[in-house]
Amino acid sequence: MSDLATLAVTMNSLQTRNEVSLAAVKQNADFQRQVVAELFATMDAMPRPPEGMGQQIDQYA
């Protein structure tokens, strides 16, 4: 009987650990999405270069 109780406690502990791990992975993914969204927002807010800039290679630079 004690083996069954030990198994039940172990499984309950593993379930809790898995739930915590899943929550950490979800939080990390949400953070990464937020960082990428902020990066794109920053890139969109930057002024655009003049038309034609970067089209020719300066051999003397």
Side-chain angles (χ1 to χ4, degrees):
M1 189 69 170
S2 67
D3 291 336
L4 185 59
T6 304
L7 180 62
V9 169
T10 302
M11 289 182 71
N12 192 12
S13 151
L14 288 174
Q15 182 181 5
T16 303
R17 189 177 304 159
N18 286 340
E19 289 172 355
V20 169
S21 295
L22 185 59
V25 167
K26 184 180 181 297
Q27 184 178 12
N28 188 23
D30 290 343
F31 176 73
Q32 288 180 356
R33 277 190 212 100
Q34 182 182 6
V35 167
V36 170
E38 288 177 11
L39 176 65
F40 280 125
T42 302
M43 289 172 54
D44 289 340
M46 291 178 61
R48 301 281 181 227
E51 187 64 34
M53 185 175 186
Q55 298 295 321
Q56 293 180 343
I57 298 173
D58 185 0
Q59 298 290 330
Y60 302 105

